[in-house]
Short mmCIF file of all heavy atoms in Angstrom, two decimals:
data_model
loop_
_atom_site.label_atom_id
_atom_site.label_comp_id
_atom_site.label_asym_id
_atom_site.label_seq_id
_atom_site.Cartn_x
_atom_site.Cartn_y
_atom_site.Cartn_z
N LEU A 1 -5.76 12.18 11.16
CA LEU A 1 -6.37 12.83 12.34
C LEU A 1 -6.91 14.23 12.07
O LEU A 1 -7.98 14.59 12.52
CB LEU A 1 -5.30 12.94 13.46
CG LEU A 1 -5.77 13.56 14.75
CD1 LEU A 1 -6.86 12.71 15.40
CD2 LEU A 1 -4.60 13.72 15.73
N PHE A 2 -6.22 15.00 11.24
CA PHE A 2 -6.60 16.37 10.98
C PHE A 2 -7.47 16.54 9.73
O PHE A 2 -7.74 17.66 9.29
CB PHE A 2 -5.39 17.30 10.94
CG PHE A 2 -4.77 17.47 12.32
CD1 PHE A 2 -3.54 16.90 12.57
CD2 PHE A 2 -5.45 18.13 13.33
CE1 PHE A 2 -2.97 17.01 13.81
CE2 PHE A 2 -4.87 18.25 14.56
CZ PHE A 2 -3.64 17.69 14.84
N THR A 3 -7.83 15.47 9.09
CA THR A 3 -8.75 15.51 7.95
C THR A 3 -10.19 15.61 8.48
O THR A 3 -10.49 15.13 9.54
CB THR A 3 -8.55 14.20 7.11
OG1 THR A 3 -7.21 14.21 6.59
CG2 THR A 3 -9.53 14.15 5.99
N HIS A 4 -11.05 16.12 7.66
CA HIS A 4 -12.46 16.23 8.01
C HIS A 4 -12.95 14.87 8.43
O HIS A 4 -12.65 13.88 7.75
CB HIS A 4 -13.27 16.76 6.76
CG HIS A 4 -14.70 16.97 7.07
ND1 HIS A 4 -15.58 15.98 6.95
CD2 HIS A 4 -15.37 18.07 7.53
CE1 HIS A 4 -16.80 16.43 7.27
NE2 HIS A 4 -16.66 17.71 7.63
N ARG A 5 -13.67 14.82 9.49
CA ARG A 5 -14.16 13.55 10.11
C ARG A 5 -14.80 12.61 9.04
O ARG A 5 -14.57 11.44 9.07
CB ARG A 5 -15.13 13.86 11.20
CG ARG A 5 -15.59 12.64 12.00
CD ARG A 5 -16.50 13.04 13.12
NE ARG A 5 -15.81 13.95 14.04
CZ ARG A 5 -15.32 13.53 15.19
NH1 ARG A 5 -15.32 12.30 15.60
NH2 ARG A 5 -14.71 14.41 15.98
N GLY A 6 -15.61 13.10 8.17
CA GLY A 6 -16.29 12.31 7.18
C GLY A 6 -15.34 11.69 6.15
O GLY A 6 -15.69 10.70 5.49
N GLN A 7 -14.17 12.30 5.96
CA GLN A 7 -13.19 11.81 5.01
C GLN A 7 -12.11 10.91 5.61
O GLN A 7 -11.33 10.32 4.85
CB GLN A 7 -12.57 12.95 4.28
CG GLN A 7 -13.56 13.75 3.48
CD GLN A 7 -12.96 15.06 2.96
OE1 GLN A 7 -11.97 15.54 3.43
NE2 GLN A 7 -13.58 15.60 1.88
N ARG A 8 -12.08 10.85 6.84
CA ARG A 8 -10.97 10.07 7.55
C ARG A 8 -10.97 8.60 7.15
O ARG A 8 -9.88 8.05 6.88
CB ARG A 8 -11.10 10.21 9.11
CG ARG A 8 -10.69 11.53 9.61
CD ARG A 8 -10.87 11.61 11.05
NE ARG A 8 -10.74 12.99 11.47
CZ ARG A 8 -11.09 13.46 12.61
NH1 ARG A 8 -11.63 12.61 13.52
NH2 ARG A 8 -10.99 14.73 12.95
N PRO A 9 -12.07 7.90 7.20
CA PRO A 9 -11.97 6.45 6.85
C PRO A 9 -11.48 6.20 5.41
O PRO A 9 -10.66 5.28 5.25
CB PRO A 9 -13.47 5.95 6.97
CG PRO A 9 -14.09 6.94 7.97
CD PRO A 9 -13.44 8.25 7.65
N ALA A 10 -11.91 7.02 4.48
CA ALA A 10 -11.41 6.84 3.10
C ALA A 10 -9.94 7.14 2.99
O ALA A 10 -9.19 6.42 2.35
CB ALA A 10 -12.21 7.68 2.14
N LEU A 11 -9.48 8.20 3.65
CA LEU A 11 -8.07 8.55 3.59
C LEU A 11 -7.19 7.49 4.30
O LEU A 11 -6.15 7.10 3.78
CB LEU A 11 -7.82 9.97 4.25
CG LEU A 11 -6.37 10.41 4.19
CD1 LEU A 11 -5.87 10.62 2.75
CD2 LEU A 11 -6.23 11.76 4.94
N ALA A 12 -7.70 7.03 5.37
CA ALA A 12 -7.00 5.96 6.11
C ALA A 12 -6.93 4.67 5.29
O ALA A 12 -5.87 4.03 5.24
CB ALA A 12 -7.71 5.65 7.44
N ALA A 13 -7.95 4.36 4.60
CA ALA A 13 -7.98 3.20 3.65
C ALA A 13 -6.97 3.35 2.57
O ALA A 13 -6.25 2.42 2.23
CB ALA A 13 -9.36 2.91 3.15
N LEU A 14 -6.92 4.55 2.00
CA LEU A 14 -5.95 4.83 0.92
C LEU A 14 -4.51 4.75 1.45
O LEU A 14 -3.66 4.07 0.82
CB LEU A 14 -6.22 6.22 0.35
CG LEU A 14 -5.26 6.66 -0.76
CD1 LEU A 14 -5.34 5.75 -1.97
CD2 LEU A 14 -5.60 8.10 -1.13
N PHE A 15 -4.26 5.37 2.58
CA PHE A 15 -2.91 5.30 3.18
C PHE A 15 -2.51 3.83 3.52
O PHE A 15 -1.38 3.45 3.33
CB PHE A 15 -2.82 6.15 4.42
CG PHE A 15 -2.64 7.61 4.16
CD1 PHE A 15 -2.84 8.54 5.20
CD2 PHE A 15 -2.30 8.13 2.93
CE1 PHE A 15 -2.66 9.90 5.00
CE2 PHE A 15 -2.12 9.47 2.70
CZ PHE A 15 -2.29 10.35 3.71
N ALA A 16 -3.45 3.11 4.07
CA ALA A 16 -3.18 1.70 4.47
C ALA A 16 -2.80 0.90 3.25
O ALA A 16 -1.83 0.11 3.29
CB ALA A 16 -4.40 1.11 5.15
N MET A 17 -3.55 1.06 2.17
CA MET A 17 -3.20 0.32 0.93
C MET A 17 -1.81 0.75 0.40
O MET A 17 -1.00 -0.09 0.03
CB MET A 17 -4.30 0.51 -0.13
CG MET A 17 -4.16 -0.43 -1.28
SD MET A 17 -5.65 -0.32 -2.32
CE MET A 17 -4.83 -0.15 -3.91
N TYR A 18 -1.55 2.05 0.44
CA TYR A 18 -0.25 2.56 -0.03
C TYR A 18 0.88 1.91 0.81
O TYR A 18 1.89 1.47 0.29
CB TYR A 18 -0.24 4.10 0.09
CG TYR A 18 1.10 4.69 -0.03
CD1 TYR A 18 1.72 4.88 -1.28
CD2 TYR A 18 1.87 5.05 1.09
CE1 TYR A 18 3.00 5.43 -1.43
CE2 TYR A 18 3.14 5.60 0.98
CZ TYR A 18 3.67 5.75 -0.28
OH TYR A 18 4.96 6.26 -0.40
N LEU A 19 0.72 1.91 2.12
CA LEU A 19 1.71 1.40 3.02
C LEU A 19 1.90 -0.13 2.83
O LEU A 19 3.05 -0.58 2.86
CB LEU A 19 1.35 1.70 4.49
CG LEU A 19 1.42 3.14 4.88
CD1 LEU A 19 0.69 3.34 6.21
CD2 LEU A 19 2.84 3.65 4.93
N GLU A 20 0.87 -0.80 2.54
CA GLU A 20 0.94 -2.25 2.26
C GLU A 20 1.81 -2.50 1.03
O GLU A 20 2.65 -3.37 0.99
CB GLU A 20 -0.46 -2.84 2.09
CG GLU A 20 -0.45 -4.36 1.86
CD GLU A 20 -0.21 -5.14 3.17
OE1 GLU A 20 -0.25 -4.64 4.25
OE2 GLU A 20 -0.03 -6.35 3.00
N ILE A 21 1.55 -1.73 -0.02
CA ILE A 21 2.32 -1.87 -1.27
C ILE A 21 3.80 -1.51 -1.02
O ILE A 21 4.69 -2.22 -1.46
CB ILE A 21 1.72 -1.00 -2.42
CG1 ILE A 21 0.34 -1.52 -2.78
CG2 ILE A 21 2.65 -0.99 -3.64
CD1 ILE A 21 -0.46 -0.61 -3.68
N ARG A 22 4.02 -0.46 -0.27
CA ARG A 22 5.44 -0.03 -0.02
C ARG A 22 6.17 -1.07 0.85
O ARG A 22 7.40 -1.08 0.80
CB ARG A 22 5.42 1.33 0.68
CG ARG A 22 4.84 2.47 -0.20
CD ARG A 22 5.77 2.87 -1.29
NE ARG A 22 7.03 3.32 -0.72
CZ ARG A 22 8.08 3.69 -1.48
NH1 ARG A 22 7.97 3.65 -2.75
NH2 ARG A 22 9.22 4.05 -0.89
N GLU A 23 5.51 -1.85 1.62
CA GLU A 23 6.16 -2.87 2.45
C GLU A 23 6.83 -3.94 1.58
O GLU A 23 7.69 -4.65 2.07
CB GLU A 23 5.15 -3.54 3.37
CG GLU A 23 4.85 -2.73 4.60
CD GLU A 23 3.93 -3.41 5.54
OE1 GLU A 23 3.50 -4.55 5.28
OE2 GLU A 23 3.59 -2.81 6.57
N VAL A 24 6.47 -4.04 0.34
CA VAL A 24 7.13 -5.02 -0.57
C VAL A 24 8.66 -4.77 -0.55
O VAL A 24 9.46 -5.70 -0.60
CB VAL A 24 6.58 -4.95 -1.96
CG1 VAL A 24 7.34 -5.74 -2.96
CG2 VAL A 24 5.10 -5.39 -1.98
N LEU A 25 9.04 -3.49 -0.42
CA LEU A 25 10.45 -3.14 -0.45
C LEU A 25 11.21 -3.79 0.74
O LEU A 25 12.35 -4.26 0.62
CB LEU A 25 10.66 -1.61 -0.36
CG LEU A 25 10.28 -0.82 -1.59
CD1 LEU A 25 10.31 0.66 -1.30
CD2 LEU A 25 11.14 -1.18 -2.75
N THR A 26 10.60 -3.80 1.85
CA THR A 26 11.27 -4.29 3.08
C THR A 26 11.04 -5.81 3.28
O THR A 26 11.83 -6.45 3.94
CB THR A 26 10.77 -3.55 4.34
OG1 THR A 26 9.38 -3.67 4.47
CG2 THR A 26 11.18 -2.10 4.29
N GLU A 27 9.96 -6.32 2.71
CA GLU A 27 9.64 -7.74 2.88
C GLU A 27 10.48 -8.63 2.02
O GLU A 27 10.86 -9.74 2.35
CB GLU A 27 8.18 -7.99 2.59
CG GLU A 27 7.20 -7.53 3.61
CD GLU A 27 5.75 -7.82 3.16
OE1 GLU A 27 5.57 -8.21 1.99
OE2 GLU A 27 4.86 -7.63 3.99
N CYS A 28 10.78 -8.14 0.81
CA CYS A 28 11.37 -9.02 -0.19
C CYS A 28 12.86 -8.73 -0.42
O CYS A 28 13.21 -7.60 -0.78
CB CYS A 28 10.65 -8.83 -1.55
SG CYS A 28 8.95 -9.28 -1.49
N ARG A 29 13.63 -9.70 -0.26
CA ARG A 29 15.10 -9.59 -0.52
C ARG A 29 15.39 -9.99 -1.93
O ARG A 29 16.38 -9.57 -2.50
CB ARG A 29 15.90 -10.42 0.44
CG ARG A 29 15.71 -10.05 1.89
CD ARG A 29 16.40 -8.72 2.12
NE ARG A 29 16.11 -8.25 3.49
CZ ARG A 29 15.75 -7.06 3.82
NH1 ARG A 29 15.57 -6.12 2.87
NH2 ARG A 29 15.49 -6.73 5.08
N ASP A 30 14.52 -10.79 -2.54
CA ASP A 30 14.71 -11.29 -3.95
C ASP A 30 13.94 -10.39 -4.84
O ASP A 30 12.73 -10.19 -4.71
CB ASP A 30 14.21 -12.71 -3.99
CG ASP A 30 14.45 -13.36 -5.38
OD1 ASP A 30 14.02 -12.78 -6.37
OD2 ASP A 30 15.03 -14.40 -5.42
N ALA A 31 14.63 -9.83 -5.85
CA ALA A 31 14.01 -8.90 -6.81
C ALA A 31 12.86 -9.48 -7.59
O ALA A 31 11.90 -8.88 -7.84
CB ALA A 31 15.08 -8.35 -7.77
N GLU A 32 13.00 -10.79 -7.94
CA GLU A 32 11.91 -11.48 -8.68
C GLU A 32 10.66 -11.61 -7.82
O GLU A 32 9.59 -11.49 -8.34
CB GLU A 32 12.39 -12.81 -9.20
CG GLU A 32 13.42 -12.70 -10.32
CD GLU A 32 12.97 -11.83 -11.49
OE1 GLU A 32 11.80 -12.06 -11.91
OE2 GLU A 32 13.72 -10.98 -11.91
N VAL A 33 10.82 -11.94 -6.58
CA VAL A 33 9.67 -12.02 -5.65
C VAL A 33 9.01 -10.68 -5.53
O VAL A 33 7.76 -10.54 -5.57
CB VAL A 33 10.12 -12.57 -4.26
CG1 VAL A 33 8.97 -12.53 -3.30
CG2 VAL A 33 10.64 -14.00 -4.44
N ALA A 34 9.82 -9.60 -5.40
CA ALA A 34 9.27 -8.26 -5.29
C ALA A 34 8.52 -7.91 -6.56
O ALA A 34 7.41 -7.34 -6.48
CB ALA A 34 10.39 -7.26 -5.03
N ARG A 35 9.05 -8.23 -7.72
CA ARG A 35 8.36 -7.93 -8.95
C ARG A 35 7.03 -8.70 -9.05
O ARG A 35 6.06 -8.16 -9.50
CB ARG A 35 9.22 -8.30 -10.18
CG ARG A 35 10.24 -7.26 -10.51
CD ARG A 35 10.93 -7.50 -11.87
NE ARG A 35 12.20 -6.85 -11.85
CZ ARG A 35 13.35 -7.38 -11.54
NH1 ARG A 35 13.45 -8.60 -11.10
NH2 ARG A 35 14.46 -6.67 -11.57
N ALA A 36 7.02 -9.91 -8.63
CA ALA A 36 5.81 -10.74 -8.64
C ALA A 36 4.77 -10.13 -7.73
O ALA A 36 3.58 -10.04 -8.08
CB ALA A 36 6.15 -12.16 -8.23
N LYS A 37 5.17 -9.73 -6.53
CA LYS A 37 4.23 -9.09 -5.61
C LYS A 37 3.68 -7.75 -6.14
O LYS A 37 2.49 -7.50 -6.03
CB LYS A 37 4.86 -8.88 -4.24
CG LYS A 37 5.01 -10.13 -3.42
CD LYS A 37 5.47 -9.81 -2.00
CE LYS A 37 5.36 -11.02 -1.17
NZ LYS A 37 5.31 -10.73 0.25
N LEU A 38 4.54 -6.98 -6.68
CA LEU A 38 4.12 -5.69 -7.26
C LEU A 38 3.21 -5.94 -8.49
O LEU A 38 2.22 -5.24 -8.71
CB LEU A 38 5.27 -4.83 -7.62
CG LEU A 38 6.03 -4.27 -6.41
CD1 LEU A 38 7.32 -3.55 -6.92
CD2 LEU A 38 5.20 -3.36 -5.55
N GLY A 39 3.51 -6.99 -9.24
CA GLY A 39 2.62 -7.35 -10.35
C GLY A 39 1.23 -7.76 -9.87
O GLY A 39 0.20 -7.39 -10.46
N TRP A 40 1.21 -8.49 -8.74
CA TRP A 40 -0.07 -8.86 -8.13
C TRP A 40 -0.84 -7.61 -7.71
O TRP A 40 -2.03 -7.54 -7.92
CB TRP A 40 0.15 -9.80 -6.95
CG TRP A 40 -1.16 -10.25 -6.39
CD1 TRP A 40 -1.81 -11.40 -6.73
CD2 TRP A 40 -1.92 -9.60 -5.38
NE1 TRP A 40 -3.03 -11.49 -6.01
CE2 TRP A 40 -3.10 -10.42 -5.19
CE3 TRP A 40 -1.80 -8.43 -4.64
CZ2 TRP A 40 -4.13 -10.02 -4.27
CZ3 TRP A 40 -2.80 -8.04 -3.75
CH2 TRP A 40 -3.92 -8.89 -3.56
N TRP A 41 -0.15 -6.67 -7.13
CA TRP A 41 -0.79 -5.43 -6.72
C TRP A 41 -1.32 -4.62 -7.90
O TRP A 41 -2.38 -4.02 -7.83
CB TRP A 41 0.15 -4.57 -5.85
CG TRP A 41 0.02 -4.94 -4.43
CD1 TRP A 41 0.91 -5.59 -3.67
CD2 TRP A 41 -1.13 -4.65 -3.56
NE1 TRP A 41 0.42 -5.75 -2.36
CE2 TRP A 41 -0.80 -5.15 -2.31
CE3 TRP A 41 -2.32 -3.99 -3.76
CZ2 TRP A 41 -1.70 -5.12 -1.24
CZ3 TRP A 41 -3.23 -3.95 -2.70
CH2 TRP A 41 -2.90 -4.48 -1.43
N GLN A 42 -0.59 -4.64 -9.06
CA GLN A 42 -1.14 -3.99 -10.26
C GLN A 42 -2.41 -4.66 -10.68
O GLN A 42 -3.37 -3.94 -11.05
CB GLN A 42 -0.11 -4.01 -11.35
CG GLN A 42 1.07 -3.07 -11.09
CD GLN A 42 2.12 -3.15 -12.13
OE1 GLN A 42 2.36 -4.18 -12.79
NE2 GLN A 42 2.86 -2.05 -12.33
N GLU A 43 -2.44 -6.01 -10.64
CA GLU A 43 -3.68 -6.71 -10.96
C GLU A 43 -4.79 -6.32 -9.97
O GLU A 43 -5.97 -6.18 -10.34
CB GLU A 43 -3.46 -8.19 -10.98
CG GLU A 43 -2.56 -8.65 -12.11
CD GLU A 43 -2.20 -10.09 -12.02
OE1 GLU A 43 -2.80 -10.82 -11.16
OE2 GLU A 43 -1.30 -10.54 -12.78
N GLU A 44 -4.41 -6.27 -8.70
CA GLU A 44 -5.36 -5.89 -7.66
C GLU A 44 -5.96 -4.51 -7.90
O GLU A 44 -7.16 -4.26 -7.63
CB GLU A 44 -4.77 -6.05 -6.27
CG GLU A 44 -5.68 -5.69 -5.11
CD GLU A 44 -6.86 -6.67 -4.94
OE1 GLU A 44 -6.99 -7.64 -5.65
OE2 GLU A 44 -7.66 -6.41 -3.98
N ILE A 45 -5.11 -3.60 -8.28
CA ILE A 45 -5.61 -2.27 -8.61
C ILE A 45 -6.64 -2.33 -9.78
O ILE A 45 -7.65 -1.66 -9.72
CB ILE A 45 -4.48 -1.30 -8.90
CG1 ILE A 45 -3.67 -1.04 -7.60
CG2 ILE A 45 -4.92 0.00 -9.51
CD1 ILE A 45 -2.37 -0.38 -7.78
#
């Protein structure tokens, strides 16, 4: 909200991707599943 108007969409996109990756912690109870998802995100990066 307090970022320069022209930079808001890019910052929001960056934060959204960060939050999506961090959700792996709460979504996955199995460590192997979490590792696989994080591995997929590394490939996606």
Side-chain angles (χ1 to χ4, degrees):
L1 181 64
F2 291 111
T3 297
H4 184 272
R5 185 177 301 259
Q7 296 172 337
R8 286 179 193 164
L11 183 61
L14 177 62
F15 281 166
M17 192 170 131
Y18 167 81
L19 291 166
E20 183 76 11
I21 294 169
R22 296 289 299 176
E23 279 182 2
V24 170
L25 290 173
T26 57
E27 288 178 350
C28 299
R29 297 290 176 227
D30 185 304
E32 290 304 313
V33 173
R35 278 190 203 93
K37 284 188 171 202
L38 291 173
W40 184 91
W41 271 108
Q42 288 176 332
E43 292 173 10
E44 179 67 1
I45 290 167

